[in-house]
Amino acid sequence: MVKRTAKRAPRRTDGLSREVIVQAAIDLLDEGGESALTLRALTLRLRTGYGAIYHHVTDKNDLLAAAADDVIARVLAGAVVAAGPREALRGVALGLFDAIDAHPWVGAELSRQPWRPALLDFYESVGRLLHALAVPERARFDAAGALVNYVLGVAAQNAARPGRGPKDTERSTGRGTDQGTGRADFLAGVAEQWSELDPGRYPFVHEAATRLREHDDRDQFLAGVDIFLAGIATLRRT
Amino acid sequence: MVKRTAKRAPRRTDGLSREVIVQAAIDLLDEGGESALTLRALTLRLRTGYGAIYHHVTDKNDLLAAAADDVIARVLAGAVVAAGPREALRGVALGLFDAIDAHPWVGAELSRQPWRPALLDFYESVGRLLHALAVPERARFDAAGALVNYVLGVAAQNAARPGRGPKDTERSTGRGTDQGTGRADFLAGVAEQWSELDPGRYPFVHEAATRLREHDDRDQFLAGVDIFLAGIATLRRT
DNA sequence: CCAAGATTGGATCGTCAATCCAAGACGCTA
DNA sequence: TAGCGTCTTGGATTGACGATCCAATCTTGG
């Protein structure tokens, strides 16, 4: 006995499409983190209903994956070609790192589904560059996997940002990109936690706390890549 | 107008405690994956109500984190002491890998919150062993971070298992531990997907598909660890 | 024996993803 | 232009979930 013939909002004139929906999803994710992507928020932003969205998108997973694919594809498209294979590898890895740094939710999504098309080009680039570095075929597979895993490990950790909850958008007055400060505050908190540990029982972690305070995510990431590259060099075909 | 004085189920005799709840959560997670841990399932298994659980546990996050801490603590407690620092490092990493392989949900949880107490001992062990490997203090921080990130990257990927949904428990007749076969089938699926790619455009990935079919997660993980250890060796104080 | 505090059970609330159906718009044919 | 079928859209609805709340029950100390 519900009014099925109630008045409806006027139909939209501009056509809805998968691209439009994915872009709106990316915007929501960038603004409020992973938890900000809800179908309700999407319908509000697009001024439409649930049915219209589900007509173009099968699933919320589908939507999240498509958003990640989109961001990564745009990043890899603008990749720079470096001189040597070694520099090129660093460049590719850094490109992915920067992309995930700018869109933390992508990191979580990628490490959840690393076999998706988004990472195919990345994986392919790594494989070719390892070939150029004279890594024998058998070891190339393991090496590429290790590098991808390392990058994704860093990505997942970087994705773990504090707050970013729905309430943040209400609280913050400026509503600017508060990514940098959020990460810094977060690291400071962990560092304090670690520095309060018993130096006798946890000498290394206790000391690492001070490093953590002054460290730079990007620099440490690159240091890790360099360690990996140094390890790769030992696999070289002689 | 609701009967507030309805008959209640008899009160439990054995006391509920945080330990009992965490253990039940671990059982649920091991049986059905991350999505199987719901408060409803917990109340059914423990034959209790929501209030009783929330009296001992602040949050669902708290519960998940406690479960992960518990599993990891048990693993690290039984760690074997190896001869040299290099072998010890491999052993510690392998221990973590095996634990995550046995409890895939732990991997996802750890890579989501790597600063939790669960990983402190692991981090500490790595740091000390790097010291034993004569890695200078400044580089130790970066090296430990790289290694931990690599392990967590693998962990997150291993956590990404197919199915494991709530319906699985209904469908499967045997209800045994279908972990191994699930992972194998999953890898086979990805391999097929990759092998269908254009060999001209994706020569490396196309070829990696065959490797993927015959590869062993554990072996490849160890190969990655060795690459990082080889790279770390170049940081040695001479 | 009784009051105060600790513990327990479950009704209830708000939110979410997902389904479903009818209402509009569009295009094609005659 | 009129009619009809298909594509697209809006939103009511469903069912599951995390979390809160409160009354009922047990335990403990005096």
Side-chain angles (χ1 to χ4, degrees):
Chain A
M1 283 311 129
V2 188
K3 284 204 296 181
R4 280 272 180 196
T5 332
K7 195 181 174 190
R8 310 184 70 134
R11 201 184 163 109
R12 67 183 313 115
T13 58
D14 56 327
L16 207 55
S17 70
R18 186 179 166 94
E19 286 74 35
V20 173
I21 295 176
V22 168
Q23 187 53 53
I26 292 177
D27 292 342
L28 281 174
L29 287 164
D30 282 343
E31 288 167 17
E34 203 157 354
S35 64
L37 177 60
T38 69
L39 286 189
R40 167 131 183 91
L42 257 188
T43 59
L44 287 180
R45 173 158 301 213
L46 293 173
R47 300 178 186 284
T48 180
Y50 295 91
I53 292 178
Y54 272 93
H55 185 259
H56 296 277
V57 164
T58 68
D59 216 326
K60 198 197 174 185
N61 281 341
D62 179 34
L63 184 56
L64 197 56
D69 284 355
D70 200 78
V71 169
I72 294 300
R74 254 182 284 179
V75 168
L76 292 184
V80 204
V81 239
R86 200 186 143 86
E87 283 67 36
L89 258 180
R90 291 176 101 234
V92 172
L94 253 189
L96 204 53
F97 175 88
D98 286 338
I100 292 170
D101 190 53
H103 313 274
W105 53 273
V106 175
E109 175 61 15
L110 285 187
S111 63
R112 218 173 293 142
Q113 312 197 334
W115 56 88
R116 282 201 52 92
L119 277 183
L120 270 186
D121 293 284
F122 177 66
Y123 208 80
E124 180 67 29
S125 300
V126 171
R128 288 187 194 182
L129 292 170
L130 288 177
H131 181 66
L133 277 175
V135 174
E137 194 275 330
R138 183 66 185 90
R140 225 179 294 156
F141 178 64
D142 291 340
L147 183 58
V148 172
N149 276 322
Y150 169 68
V151 174
L152 290 183
V154 178
Q157 291 209 33
N158 254 26
R161 297 257 167 105
R164 290 310 210 109
K167 267 115 192 185
D168 268 5
T169 52
E170 289 181 58
R171 254 193 294 130
S172 70
T173 53
R175 272 303 300 114
T177 55
D178 51 350
Q179 300 181 358
T181 66
R183 174 73 176 167
D185 291 348
F186 166 69
L187 285 180
V190 176
E192 185 171 9
Q193 223 176 313
W194 282 13
S195 63
E196 284 168 2
L197 290 171
D198 175 18
R201 183 161 158 68
Y202 292 101
F204 174 72
V205 175
H206 184 81
E207 185 190 294
T210 64
R211 295 276 176 210
L212 195 61
R213 254 186 272 270
E214 64 196 20
H215 102 300
D216 179 79
D217 281 341
R218 205 162 182 270
D219 290 343
Q220 197 183 9
F221 171 75
L222 258 190
V225 172
D226 285 338
I227 291 177
F228 169 81
L229 286 176
I232 286 298
T234 66
L235 299 177
R236 252 190 183 121
R237 193 170 35 220
T238 49
Chain B
M1 286 307 136
V2 188
K3 283 204 295 182
R4 280 271 181 199
T5 332
K7 194 180 173 192
R8 312 185 67 134
R11 202 184 161 110
R12 66 182 314 112
T13 57
D14 55 328
L16 208 54
S17 70
R18 187 179 165 93
E19 285 74 33
V20 172
I21 294 176
V22 168
Q23 186 54 54
I26 292 177
D27 292 342
L28 281 174
L29 287 164
D30 282 343
E31 288 167 18
E34 202 157 353
S35 64
L37 178 60
T38 70
L39 288 190
R40 166 131 183 88
L42 258 189
T43 58
L44 287 180
R45 172 158 302 214
L46 293 174
R47 300 177 186 285
T48 180
Y50 295 94
I53 292 178
Y54 272 92
H55 182 74
H56 296 277
V57 164
T58 68
D59 215 328
K60 198 197 173 184
N61 281 341
D62 178 34
L63 184 56
L64 197 56
D69 284 355
D70 199 78
V71 169
I72 294 300
R74 252 181 285 179
V75 168
L76 292 185
V80 204
V81 240
R86 197 186 148 83
E87 283 66 35
L89 263 177
R90 293 175 101 233
V92 173
L94 253 189
L96 203 54
F97 175 88
D98 286 338
I100 293 169
D101 190 52
H103 312 275
W105 53 273
V106 176
E109 176 62 14
L110 286 186
S111 63
R112 219 173 292 142
Q113 311 197 337
W115 56 89
R116 282 201 53 91
L119 277 183
L120 270 187
D121 294 283
F122 177 65
Y123 209 80
E124 179 67 29
S125 300
V126 170
R128 288 189 194 181
L129 291 170
L130 289 178
H131 181 66
L133 274 175
V135 175
E137 195 276 330
R138 182 69 185 89
R140 225 179 296 156
F141 180 64
D142 291 340
L147 198 53
V148 171
N149 275 321
Y150 168 68
V151 174
L152 290 183
V154 178
Q157 290 210 33
N158 253 26
R161 298 257 168 108
R164 292 306 211 109
K167 266 115 191 185
D168 269 5
T169 51
E170 288 183 59
R171 255 193 294 128
S172 70
T173 53
R175 273 297 303 112
T177 55
D178 51 350
Q179 300 180 359
T181 67
R183 175 73 175 167
D185 291 350
F186 167 69
L187 285 180
V190 176
E192 185 170 10
Q193 224 176 316
W194 282 13
S195 63
E196 283 169 2
L197 291 171
D198 176 18
R201 184 162 158 67
Y202 292 101
F204 174 73
V205 175
H206 184 81
E207 184 190 294
T210 64
R211 294 276 177 214
L212 195 61
R213 255 186 270 271
E214 63 196 23
H215 103 301
D216 180 79
D217 281 341
R218 206 161 181 268
D219 290 343
Q220 197 182 8
F221 171 75
L222 257 190
V225 172
D226 285 337
I227 290 177
F228 274 95
L229 287 180
I232 286 174
T234 66
L235 302 175
R236 251 188 182 124
R237 192 169 35 220
T238 53

